[in-house]
Amino acid sequence: MTTQIGVSFDGSLDEDSIWTWCSRVIATFSCSGEKEVNLAVEDAKAAFKIWRQKSGLERGRILLEAARIIRERTDEIATVESINNGKSILEARLDIDTSWQCLEYYAGLAGSMAGEHIQLPGGSFGYTRREPLGVCVGIGAWNYPFQIASWKSAPALACGNAMVFKPSPFTPVTALLLAEIYTEAGAPPGLFNVVQGGGATGQLLCQHRDVAKVSFTGSVPTGTKIMEAAAKGIKPVTLELGGKSPLIIFADCNLENAVKGALMANFLTQGEVCCNGTRVFVQKEILDKFTEQVVQQTQRIKIGDPLLEGTRMGPLINRPHLERVLGFVKGAKEQGAKVLCGGDPYVPEDPKLKDGYFMRPCVLGNCRDDMTCVKEEIFGPVMSILSFDTEAEVLERANNTAFGLAAGVFTRDLQRAHRVVAELQAGVCFINNYNVSPVELPFGGYKKSGSQPVGIVTAQNRGASREGFGRENGRVTIEHYSQLKTVCVEMGDVESAF
Ligand SMILES: NC(=O)c1ccc[n+]([C@@H]2O[C@H](COP(=O)([O-])OP(=O)(O)OC[C@H]3O[C@@H](n4cnc5c(N)ncnc54)[C@H](O)[C@@H]3O)[C@@H](O)[C@H]2O)c1
Ligand SMILES: O=CCc1c[nH]c2ccc(O)cc12
């Protein structure tokens, strides 16, 4: 790793992985090629041999120790994460908290992995064993670098697997801290291995014959390529992909909470969050009041140096992405949306930050369902406000998307809340809150956001096979990192057909 402060980003990611922050290159990493990927997988295989022999309780003890170290080093890891990604230090600390909580949660579940015993005629019996898969691969996006590495590795390791992890080349650093911590906690060397690189390195990992499973967080186009590569090797995949989630605000809501919820749904991590509720549907009766308060609070968001305690929004991930997000705002204006606030570049007073990738968070009014800003994932701090009249109408419009990651509803009417979420085609639904992610609850999407295509949703197939591409967090994830072996035991003599 070399430090090159002052060099500008040239965008060539498959030769060297470049870590930039506010237009300064902080480090370069060599991308792993075939040789390094083979070595990482070989090491992981060796570690797997040791790890799979341990009892769940023994594995859980090591995960608990890793969780303890992360917790103890929260401030240090959060600082590196804030520089890694640009998110505010306050948010980075929350990410680290959810990371050690995830390790703690799966440490607790590791000892409970079990099969069942089934009696058969004549005293014979069968039993099932839940066994690990082997070497799993984790490939991460740049928006939650440490948390993604933790959410993928904790259930994988708890189930007795090893993992080779590739972070995004835009945020290469904190996954390495996690690797150090697992080793310090007592995991065999190579059990959680990190390789650096972009798409080419990712492909080598997915195609590797000794890789048993791929868990991916990122965009739909890359998810498609990963699935293709995995399909060739008949490997299971977990896909956490993009979204364009609806947030529905009914007139009978607690307005103060709904306004806070809309900001939580749109502006965490500079709006670079897959499950953001960026299509904010507001019932006509409260549209003006809601919009006025949302704009007021959005304008108060303090933008600047993410390492300062008072900052609530840092820079976007890189220059091309900033330009892409600003392009969406420009396109929205051209299509008739009204920029109610923000949507332009922001230059902080601090001269050190003047070339940073900052923008003012944006609220768009006068939006229609056919606008690009309402249909496509922007992955930046841009909220689109749409108005609606009736429950039936808003449900139809909310579901009219190929994505299905998350959805939210604000109402005081409990029956309506549950009725509406039952109809929403989304893997994660929030009632009277948004973007909280307790590790005990499964996380993942429907439709193109990461689930099996089931065609037209009917009352009969609703919910069926929908976590086919896996989930993160929650008890169910154990099933996606293990396989079931059936053992049939004969207690009598063989009755031969021959
Ligand atoms: N559903 C979720 O949980 C979730 C979470 C975070 C981000 N996302 C989505 O991710 C996208 C933004 O993240 P991004 O720009 O890092 O996504 P991306 O798809 O460009 O990259 C994600 C990762 O895949 C790697 N990669 C790229 N091409 C590859 C290939 N051919 N084979 C294997 N690996 C390859 C990248 O190097 C990176 O590590 C958004 O669409 C966002 O919604 C989803
Ligand atoms: O950005 C999307 C949601 C998210 C937040 N933290 C994590 C961690 C791991 C993931 O796969 C997705 C997410």
Side-chain angles (χ1 to χ4, degrees):
M1 185 173 104
T2 53
T3 307
Q4 312 182 351
I5 291 175
V7 182
S8 66
F9 170 57
D10 71 357
S12 59
L13 288 176
D14 265 325
E15 282 155 29
D16 267 323
S17 179
I18 302 167
W19 181 31
T20 65
W21 192 64
C22 284
S23 272
R24 283 172 295 161
V25 171
I26 296 173
T28 61
F29 294 76
S30 293
C31 285
S32 295
E34 203 168 343
K35 188 175 134 215
E36 292 80 14
V37 164
N38 286 342
L39 270 174
V41 174
E42 277 309 310
D43 267 11
K45 268 169 68 182
F48 171 63
K49 275 199 185 135
I50 305 168
W51 190 242
R52 69 189 295 261
Q53 299 299 339
K54 291 193 185 293
S55 71
L57 209 60
E58 288 170 319
R59 294 196 296 265
R61 213 171 285 136
I62 290 173
L63 284 176
L64 267 187
E65 175 60 6
R68 190 198 61 74
I69 299 170
I70 296 171
R71 191 174 185 176
E72 194 177 88
R73 291 173 59 182
T74 298
D75 279 344
E76 172 211 341
I77 303 169
T79 302
V80 183
E81 187 73 325
S82 177
I83 299 169
N84 201 21
N85 164 273
K87 65 178 72 196
S88 73
I89 185 71
L90 179 106
E91 274 195 55
R93 282 193 204 112
L94 296 175
D95 289 5
I96 309 309
D97 285 347
T98 326
S99 301
W100 62 254
Q101 284 161 11
C102 182
L103 268 68
E104 269 191 353
Y105 177 72
Y106 286 105
L109 285 186
S112 74
M113 257 178 86
E116 44 177 7
H117 177 275
I118 302 116
Q119 287 185 8
L120 297 172
S124 293
F125 63 95
Y127 63 95
T128 56
R129 290 164 54 85
R130 198 151 270 290
E131 296 184 345
L133 301 168
V135 177
C136 300
V137 156
I139 297 181
W142 41 259
N143 58 342
Y144 284 85
F146 191 83
Q147 200 182 74
I148 291 175
S150 303
W151 285 13
K152 292 194 187 304
S153 59
L157 302 195
C159 292
N161 303 287
M163 177 166 269
V164 179
F165 186 83
K166 190 195 81 59
S168 164
F170 297 115
T171 50
V173 188
T174 43
L176 294 168
L177 297 180
L178 183 62
E180 277 173 20
I181 289 168
Y182 277 130
T183 309
E184 190 186 334
L191 188 71
F192 178 77
N193 248 340
V194 177
V195 294
Q196 300 288 354
T201 309
Q203 277 295 301
L204 287 170
L205 287 168
C206 297
Q207 290 160 0
H208 200 291
R209 65 178 189 148
D210 292 333
V211 164
K213 177 198 166 97
V214 181
S215 174
F216 170 74
T217 296
S219 64
V220 174
T222 310
T224 311
K225 287 184 199 155
I226 290 196
M227 226 185 132
E228 279 166 6
K232 288 197 180 119
I234 323 277
K235 293 173 194 179
V237 288
T238 290
L239 299 177
E240 297 293 352
L241 308 178
K244 190 74 198 177
S245 301
L247 170 59
I248 305 172
I249 316 277
F250 284 99
D252 68 349
C253 68
N254 173 321
L255 190 66
E256 200 184 326
N257 279 333
V259 169
K260 284 199 255 177
L263 266 75
M264 285 291 287
N266 280 274
F267 298 137
L268 288 172
T269 303
Q270 298 79 245
E272 299 160 328
V273 184
C274 55
C275 42
N276 269 359
T278 45
R279 290 185 292 142
V280 182
F281 291 96
V282 186
Q283 208 159 20
K284 279 223 176 85
E285 296 92 301
I286 59 162
L287 179 66
D288 291 344
K289 224 165 151 186
F290 173 86
T291 305
E292 186 191 321
Q293 294 189 23
V294 158
V295 169
Q296 228 173 49
Q297 295 200 18
T298 302
Q299 285 171 323
R300 279 196 216 129
I301 293 174
K302 180 132 182 45
I303 315 164
D305 184 343
L307 291 172
L308 296 179
E309 289 295 337
T311 299
R312 290 293 173 269
M313 189 175 283
L316 273 65
I317 191 70
N318 55 41
R319 172 88 44 210
H321 187 60
L322 170 67
E323 276 159 18
R324 190 172 168 271
V325 175
L326 294 173
F328 271 107
V329 177
K330 184 167 171 276
K333 274 194 275 189
E334 286 162 6
Q335 290 182 335
K338 189 163 176 210
V339 177
L340 302 174
C341 66
D344 51 343
Y346 174 81
V347 184
E349 278 168 24
D350 182 344
K352 286 201 302 294
L353 305 177
K354 77 172 176 28
D355 293 323
Y357 322 122
F358 296 93
M359 70 174 278
R360 268 183 251 264
C362 178
V363 179
L364 296 173
N366 278 3
C367 293
R368 295 185 317 268
D369 294 359
D370 64 337
M371 289 176 173
T372 310
C373 64
V374 177
K375 289 196 296 192
E376 288 185 21
E377 184 182 44
I378 299 177
F379 221 56
V382 183
M383 176 195 306
S384 296
I385 298 186
L386 304 122
S387 69
F388 74 94
D389 285 306
T390 67
E391 182 182 315
E393 170 211 336
V394 78
L395 267 171
E396 166 96 34
R397 290 168 62 196
N399 284 333
N400 188 16
T401 168
F403 294 114
L405 188 49
V409 53
F410 274 84
T411 176
R412 282 195 171 97
D413 179 342
L414 273 185
Q415 282 164 324
R416 171 159 50 202
H418 295 292
R419 188 169 64 231
V420 166
V421 293
E423 291 303 317
L424 285 167
Q425 295 164 9
V428 182
C429 290
F430 301 97
I431 296 178
N432 292 333
N433 206 342
Y434 206 97
N435 269 344
V436 283
S437 10
V439 295
E440 300 92 325
L441 301 185
F443 179 90
Y446 280 13
K447 292 153 83 179
K448 276 204 172 162
S449 296
S451 185
Q452 240 159 14
V454 289
I456 295 166
V457 181
T458 64
Q460 283 72 39
N461 72 12
R462 182 180 302 123
S465 311
R466 284 188 171 277
E467 77 282 4
F469 287 167
R471 282 290 179 269
E472 283 181 326
N473 291 340
R475 184 179 278 275
V476 68
T477 299
I478 295 289
E479 284 167 32
H480 296 286
Y481 278 105
S482 59
Q483 52 193 340
L484 201 65
K485 178 177 280 171
T486 300
V487 183
C488 186
V489 184
E490 177 59 63
M491 295 295 278
D493 292 326
V494 174
E495 274 189 30
S496 173
F498 307 101

mmCIF file of all heavy atoms in Angstrom, residues 244-248 279 281 369 374 386 388 391-404 406-408 420 423-426 447:
data_model
loop_
_atom_site.group_PDB
_atom_site.id
_atom_site.type_symbol
_atom_site.label_atom_id
_atom_site.label_comp_id
_atom_site.label_asym_id
_atom_site.label_seq_id
_atom_site.Cartn_x
_atom_site.Cartn_y
_atom_site.Cartn_z
ATOM 1 N N LYS A 244 -35.711 1.045 -5.219
ATOM 2 C CA LYS A 244 -36.355 2.352 -5.446
ATOM 3 C C LYS A 244 -37.622 2.295 -4.595
ATOM 4 O O LYS A 244 -38.741 2.192 -5.098
ATOM 5 C CB LYS A 244 -36.677 2.529 -6.944
ATOM 6 C CG LYS A 244 -37.108 3.936 -7.290
ATOM 7 C CD LYS A 244 -35.968 4.917 -7.291
ATOM 8 C CE LYS A 244 -36.436 6.339 -7.208
ATOM 9 N NZ LYS A 244 -35.333 7.322 -7.140
ATOM 10 N N SER A 245 -37.402 2.318 -3.290
ATOM 11 C CA SER A 245 -38.469 1.928 -2.374
ATOM 12 C C SER A 245 -39.473 3.042 -2.110
ATOM 13 O O SER A 245 -39.119 4.216 -2.083
ATOM 14 C CB SER A 245 -37.840 1.456 -1.057
ATOM 15 O OG SER A 245 -36.972 0.376 -1.317
ATOM 16 N N PRO A 246 -40.744 2.658 -1.903
ATOM 17 C CA PRO A 246 -41.779 3.639 -1.600
ATOM 18 C C PRO A 246 -41.904 3.888 -0.090
ATOM 19 O O PRO A 246 -41.745 2.978 0.716
ATOM 20 C CB PRO A 246 -43.045 2.950 -2.115
ATOM 21 C CG PRO A 246 -42.769 1.480 -1.963
ATOM 22 C CD PRO A 246 -41.277 1.293 -2.105
ATOM 23 N N LEU A 247 -42.182 5.126 0.251
ATOM 24 C CA LEU A 247 -42.514 5.475 1.637
ATOM 25 C C LEU A 247 -43.872 6.165 1.555
ATOM 26 O O LEU A 247 -44.017 7.191 0.880
ATOM 27 C CB LEU A 247 -41.445 6.422 2.207
ATOM 28 C CG LEU A 247 -41.765 7.070 3.545
ATOM 29 C CD1 LEU A 247 -42.013 6.040 4.636
ATOM 30 C CD2 LEU A 247 -40.602 7.977 3.980
ATOM 31 N N ILE A 248 -44.874 5.588 2.237
ATOM 32 C CA ILE A 248 -46.253 6.086 2.101
ATOM 33 C C ILE A 248 -46.658 6.813 3.380
ATOM 34 O O ILE A 248 -46.628 6.235 4.481
ATOM 35 C CB ILE A 248 -47.216 4.909 1.824
ATOM 36 C CG1 ILE A 248 -46.744 4.115 0.589
ATOM 37 C CG2 ILE A 248 -48.637 5.413 1.635
ATOM 38 C CD1 ILE A 248 -47.515 2.823 0.351
ATOM 39 N N ARG A 279 -39.136 7.259 -3.038
ATOM 40 C CA ARG A 279 -40.418 7.682 -3.621
ATOM 41 C C ARG A 279 -41.349 7.955 -2.444
ATOM 42 O O ARG A 279 -41.922 7.029 -1.868
ATOM 43 C CB ARG A 279 -41.004 6.567 -4.495
ATOM 44 C CG ARG A 279 -40.223 6.353 -5.782
ATOM 45 C CD ARG A 279 -40.925 5.327 -6.657
ATOM 46 N NE ARG A 279 -40.899 3.992 -6.102
ATOM 47 C CZ ARG A 279 -41.897 3.119 -6.174
ATOM 48 N NH1 ARG A 279 -43.031 3.453 -6.759
ATOM 49 N NH2 ARG A 279 -41.780 1.909 -5.658
ATOM 50 N N PHE A 281 -44.611 9.036 -1.091
ATOM 51 C CA PHE A 281 -46.008 9.284 -1.469
ATOM 52 C C PHE A 281 -46.708 9.925 -0.272
ATOM 53 O O PHE A 281 -46.771 9.340 0.810
ATOM 54 C CB PHE A 281 -46.706 7.959 -1.798
ATOM 55 C CG PHE A 281 -46.200 7.304 -3.067
ATOM 56 C CD1 PHE A 281 -45.220 6.312 -3.017
ATOM 57 C CD2 PHE A 281 -46.711 7.671 -4.306
ATOM 58 C CE1 PHE A 281 -44.768 5.689 -4.179
ATOM 59 C CE2 PHE A 281 -46.265 7.051 -5.480
ATOM 60 C CZ PHE A 281 -45.298 6.068 -5.416
ATOM 61 N N ASP A 369 -44.984 9.708 -11.549
ATOM 62 C CA ASP A 369 -44.452 8.340 -11.574
ATOM 63 C C ASP A 369 -43.595 8.051 -12.809
ATOM 64 O O ASP A 369 -42.750 7.162 -12.778
ATOM 65 C CB ASP A 369 -45.595 7.309 -11.533
ATOM 66 C CG ASP A 369 -46.346 7.354 -10.213
ATOM 67 O OD1 ASP A 369 -45.964 8.163 -9.343
ATOM 68 O OD2 ASP A 369 -47.306 6.591 -10.048
ATOM 69 N N VAL A 374 -37.968 9.258 -10.442
ATOM 70 C CA VAL A 374 -38.897 8.442 -9.651
ATOM 71 C C VAL A 374 -38.760 6.961 -10.019
ATOM 72 O O VAL A 374 -39.048 6.083 -9.223
ATOM 73 C CB VAL A 374 -40.360 8.931 -9.860
ATOM 74 C CG1 VAL A 374 -41.361 8.069 -9.118
ATOM 75 C CG2 VAL A 374 -40.487 10.391 -9.418
ATOM 76 N N LEU A 386 -44.302 12.658 -4.081
ATOM 77 C CA LEU A 386 -45.442 12.435 -4.981
ATOM 78 C C LEU A 386 -46.704 12.500 -4.129
ATOM 79 O O LEU A 386 -46.663 12.144 -2.956
ATOM 80 C CB LEU A 386 -45.334 11.048 -5.613
ATOM 81 C CG LEU A 386 -44.035 10.763 -6.367
ATOM 82 C CD1 LEU A 386 -43.337 9.543 -5.789
ATOM 83 C CD2 LEU A 386 -44.297 10.553 -7.841
ATOM 84 N N PHE A 388 -50.879 11.482 -3.378
ATOM 85 C CA PHE A 388 -51.884 10.453 -3.700
ATOM 86 C C PHE A 388 -53.185 10.752 -2.967
ATOM 87 O O PHE A 388 -53.203 11.505 -2.001
ATOM 88 C CB PHE A 388 -51.359 9.051 -3.369
ATOM 89 C CG PHE A 388 -51.325 8.728 -1.891
ATOM 90 C CD1 PHE A 388 -52.393 8.074 -1.274
ATOM 91 C CD2 PHE A 388 -50.242 9.085 -1.098
ATOM 92 C CE1 PHE A 388 -52.363 7.768 0.083
ATOM 93 C CE2 PHE A 388 -50.208 8.783 0.275
ATOM 94 C CZ PHE A 388 -51.260 8.128 0.857
ATOM 95 N N GLU A 391 -55.844 4.737 -0.638
ATOM 96 C CA GLU A 391 -54.978 3.603 -0.284
ATOM 97 C C GLU A 391 -54.767 2.668 -1.484
ATOM 98 O O GLU A 391 -53.631 2.264 -1.776
ATOM 99 C CB GLU A 391 -55.629 2.854 0.882
ATOM 100 C CG GLU A 391 -54.834 1.693 1.402
ATOM 101 C CD GLU A 391 -55.562 0.967 2.533
ATOM 102 O OE1 GLU A 391 -56.111 1.633 3.445
ATOM 103 O OE2 GLU A 391 -55.575 -0.273 2.509
ATOM 104 N N ALA A 392 -55.865 2.361 -2.172
ATOM 105 C CA ALA A 392 -55.772 1.439 -3.318
ATOM 106 C C ALA A 392 -54.864 2.030 -4.396
ATOM 107 O O ALA A 392 -54.006 1.331 -4.964
ATOM 108 C CB ALA A 392 -57.165 1.172 -3.878
ATOM 109 N N GLU A 393 -55.011 3.316 -4.630
ATOM 110 C CA GLU A 393 -54.209 3.975 -5.675
ATOM 111 C C GLU A 393 -52.719 3.943 -5.297
ATOM 112 O O GLU A 393 -51.858 3.587 -6.102
ATOM 113 C CB GLU A 393 -54.692 5.436 -5.797
ATOM 114 C CG GLU A 393 -53.807 6.308 -6.671
ATOM 115 C CD GLU A 393 -53.793 7.772 -6.213
ATOM 116 O OE1 GLU A 393 -54.748 8.226 -5.563
ATOM 117 O OE2 GLU A 393 -52.773 8.448 -6.488
ATOM 118 N N VAL A 394 -52.409 4.271 -4.050
ATOM 119 C CA VAL A 394 -50.996 4.364 -3.671
ATOM 120 C C VAL A 394 -50.333 2.985 -3.679
ATOM 121 O O VAL A 394 -49.159 2.849 -4.024
ATOM 122 C CB VAL A 394 -50.808 5.116 -2.328
ATOM 123 C CG1 VAL A 394 -51.129 4.261 -1.118
ATOM 124 C CG2 VAL A 394 -49.387 5.663 -2.226
ATOM 125 N N LEU A 395 -51.108 1.958 -3.322
ATOM 126 C CA LEU A 395 -50.533 0.600 -3.332
ATOM 127 C C LEU A 395 -50.143 0.185 -4.746
ATOM 128 O O LEU A 395 -49.062 -0.355 -4.976
ATOM 129 C CB LEU A 395 -51.551 -0.387 -2.772
ATOM 130 C CG LEU A 395 -51.413 -0.635 -1.275
ATOM 131 C CD1 LEU A 395 -52.584 -1.437 -0.753
ATOM 132 C CD2 LEU A 395 -50.094 -1.364 -0.985
ATOM 133 N N GLU A 396 -51.040 0.462 -5.653
ATOM 134 C CA GLU A 396 -50.808 0.133 -7.065
ATOM 135 C C GLU A 396 -49.532 0.843 -7.550
ATOM 136 O O GLU A 396 -48.651 0.242 -8.170
ATOM 137 C CB GLU A 396 -52.050 0.601 -7.847
ATOM 138 C CG GLU A 396 -51.888 0.660 -9.341
ATOM 139 C CD GLU A 396 -52.399 -0.607 -9.990
ATOM 140 O OE1 GLU A 396 -53.370 -1.158 -9.468
ATOM 141 O OE2 GLU A 396 -51.782 -1.014 -10.994
ATOM 142 N N ARG A 397 -49.420 2.124 -7.220
ATOM 143 C CA ARG A 397 -48.271 2.911 -7.701
ATOM 144 C C ARG A 397 -46.977 2.505 -6.972
ATOM 145 O O ARG A 397 -45.904 2.431 -7.573
ATOM 146 C CB ARG A 397 -48.556 4.404 -7.503
ATOM 147 C CG ARG A 397 -49.640 4.918 -8.447
ATOM 148 C CD ARG A 397 -50.123 6.305 -8.070
ATOM 149 N NE ARG A 397 -49.063 7.301 -8.150
ATOM 150 C CZ ARG A 397 -49.139 8.513 -7.595
ATOM 151 N NH1 ARG A 397 -50.238 8.877 -6.934
ATOM 152 N NH2 ARG A 397 -48.143 9.364 -7.711
ATOM 153 N N ALA A 398 -47.097 2.232 -5.698
ATOM 154 C CA ALA A 398 -45.906 1.848 -4.920
ATOM 155 C C ALA A 398 -45.299 0.553 -5.462
ATOM 156 O O ALA A 398 -44.077 0.397 -5.531
ATOM 157 C CB ALA A 398 -46.279 1.693 -3.451
ATOM 158 N N ASN A 399 -46.172 -0.376 -5.864
ATOM 159 C CA ASN A 399 -45.696 -1.687 -6.335
ATOM 160 C C ASN A 399 -45.292 -1.682 -7.813
ATOM 161 O O ASN A 399 -44.754 -2.680 -8.304
ATOM 162 C CB ASN A 399 -46.787 -2.742 -6.131
ATOM 163 C CG ASN A 399 -46.907 -3.152 -4.669
ATOM 164 O OD1 ASN A 399 -45.937 -3.064 -3.909
ATOM 165 N ND2 ASN A 399 -48.097 -3.582 -4.265
ATOM 166 N N ASN A 400 -45.521 -0.571 -8.484
ATOM 167 C CA ASN A 400 -45.261 -0.526 -9.921
ATOM 168 C C ASN A 400 -43.779 -0.259 -10.211
ATOM 169 O O ASN A 400 -43.392 0.771 -10.739
ATOM 170 C CB ASN A 400 -46.149 0.560 -10.550
ATOM 171 C CG ASN A 400 -46.072 0.521 -12.056
ATOM 172 O OD1 ASN A 400 -45.613 -0.477 -12.646
ATOM 173 N ND2 ASN A 400 -46.495 1.593 -12.700
ATOM 174 N N THR A 401 -42.938 -1.201 -9.836
ATOM 175 C CA THR A 401 -41.487 -1.099 -10.018
ATOM 176 C C THR A 401 -40.904 -2.504 -10.083
ATOM 177 O O THR A 401 -41.462 -3.445 -9.495
ATOM 178 C CB THR A 401 -40.828 -0.308 -8.860
ATOM 179 O OG1 THR A 401 -39.409 -0.485 -8.935
ATOM 180 C CG2 THR A 401 -41.299 -0.770 -7.486
ATOM 181 N N ALA A 402 -39.772 -2.615 -10.770
ATOM 182 C CA ALA A 402 -39.114 -3.935 -10.856
ATOM 183 C C ALA A 402 -38.350 -4.244 -9.571
ATOM 184 O O ALA A 402 -37.967 -5.384 -9.325
ATOM 185 C CB ALA A 402 -38.169 -3.945 -12.043
ATOM 186 N N PHE A 403 -38.087 -3.203 -8.762
ATOM 187 C CA PHE A 403 -37.376 -3.422 -7.494
ATOM 188 C C PHE A 403 -38.357 -3.858 -6.395
ATOM 189 O O PHE A 403 -39.561 -3.682 -6.539
ATOM 190 C CB PHE A 403 -36.704 -2.127 -7.034
ATOM 191 C CG PHE A 403 -35.591 -1.649 -7.923
ATOM 192 C CD1 PHE A 403 -35.709 -0.460 -8.628
ATOM 193 C CD2 PHE A 403 -34.414 -2.370 -8.042
ATOM 194 C CE1 PHE A 403 -34.678 0.008 -9.433
ATOM 195 C CE2 PHE A 403 -33.376 -1.918 -8.845
ATOM 196 C CZ PHE A 403 -33.514 -0.724 -9.545
ATOM 197 N N GLY A 404 -37.826 -4.351 -5.295
ATOM 198 C CA GLY A 404 -38.701 -4.743 -4.178
ATOM 199 C C GLY A 404 -37.914 -4.895 -2.888
ATOM 200 O O GLY A 404 -38.096 -5.862 -2.161
ATOM 201 N N ALA A 406 -37.392 -2.508 -0.073
ATOM 202 C CA ALA A 406 -38.004 -2.060 1.183
ATOM 203 C C ALA A 406 -39.226 -1.202 0.893
ATOM 204 O O ALA A 406 -39.506 -0.852 -0.262
ATOM 205 C CB ALA A 406 -36.975 -1.274 1.986
ATOM 206 N N ALA A 407 -39.955 -0.878 1.963
ATOM 207 C CA ALA A 407 -41.118 0.012 1.846
ATOM 208 C C ALA A 407 -41.448 0.491 3.247
ATOM 209 O O ALA A 407 -41.087 -0.156 4.239
ATOM 210 C CB ALA A 407 -42.308 -0.727 1.239
ATOM 211 N N GLY A 408 -42.133 1.635 3.325
ATOM 212 C CA GLY A 408 -42.505 2.149 4.647
ATOM 213 C C GLY A 408 -43.884 2.757 4.611
ATOM 214 O O GLY A 408 -44.362 3.192 3.561
ATOM 215 N N VAL A 420 -51.740 -2.614 4.551
ATOM 216 C CA VAL A 420 -50.889 -2.059 3.490
ATOM 217 C C VAL A 420 -49.588 -2.854 3.367
ATOM 218 O O VAL A 420 -49.197 -3.247 2.266
ATOM 219 C CB VAL A 420 -50.623 -0.548 3.740
ATOM 220 C CG1 VAL A 420 -49.500 -0.030 2.866
ATOM 221 C CG2 VAL A 420 -51.892 0.255 3.484
ATOM 222 N N GLU A 423 -49.740 -6.009 1.442
ATOM 223 C CA GLU A 423 -49.873 -5.868 -0.018
ATOM 224 C C GLU A 423 -48.603 -5.361 -0.687
ATOM 225 O O GLU A 423 -48.471 -5.425 -1.910
ATOM 226 C CB GLU A 423 -51.020 -4.902 -0.356
ATOM 227 C CG GLU A 423 -52.403 -5.440 -0.026
ATOM 228 C CD GLU A 423 -52.701 -6.757 -0.725
ATOM 229 O OE1 GLU A 423 -52.380 -6.886 -1.913
ATOM 230 O OE2 GLU A 423 -53.231 -7.672 -0.059
ATOM 231 N N LEU A 424 -47.670 -4.806 0.091
ATOM 232 C CA LEU A 424 -46.470 -4.209 -0.518
ATOM 233 C C LEU A 424 -45.506 -5.303 -0.987
ATOM 234 O O LEU A 424 -45.217 -6.244 -0.240
ATOM 235 C CB LEU A 424 -45.768 -3.279 0.482
ATOM 236 C CG LEU A 424 -46.469 -1.933 0.691
ATOM 237 C CD1 LEU A 424 -45.905 -1.208 1.915
ATOM 238 C CD2 LEU A 424 -46.327 -1.050 -0.556
ATOM 239 N N GLN A 425 -45.021 -5.173 -2.205
ATOM 240 C CA GLN A 425 -44.079 -6.165 -2.748
ATOM 241 C C GLN A 425 -42.656 -5.742 -2.389
ATOM 242 O O GLN A 425 -41.921 -5.190 -3.205
ATOM 243 C CB GLN A 425 -44.262 -6.264 -4.266
ATOM 244 C CG GLN A 425 -45.628 -6.808 -4.649
ATOM 245 C CD GLN A 425 -45.966 -6.545 -6.101
ATOM 246 O OE1 GLN A 425 -45.125 -6.110 -6.882
ATOM 247 N NE2 GLN A 425 -47.203 -6.805 -6.476
ATOM 248 N N ALA A 426 -42.297 -5.968 -1.149
ATOM 249 C CA ALA A 426 -40.972 -5.559 -0.666
ATOM 250 C C ALA A 426 -40.513 -6.513 0.435
ATOM 251 O O ALA A 426 -41.333 -6.978 1.232
ATOM 252 C CB ALA A 426 -41.030 -4.133 -0.120
ATOM 253 N N LYS A 447 -38.308 -9.360 -5.814
ATOM 254 C CA LYS A 447 -38.171 -8.979 -7.225
ATOM 255 C C LYS A 447 -36.701 -8.735 -7.603
ATOM 256 O O LYS A 447 -35.807 -9.447 -7.150
ATOM 257 C CB LYS A 447 -39.079 -7.771 -7.514
ATOM 258 C CG LYS A 447 -40.574 -8.130 -7.424
ATOM 259 C CD LYS A 447 -41.478 -6.990 -7.073
ATOM 260 C CE LYS A 447 -41.905 -6.105 -8.190
ATOM 261 N NZ LYS A 447 -42.820 -5.039 -7.736
#
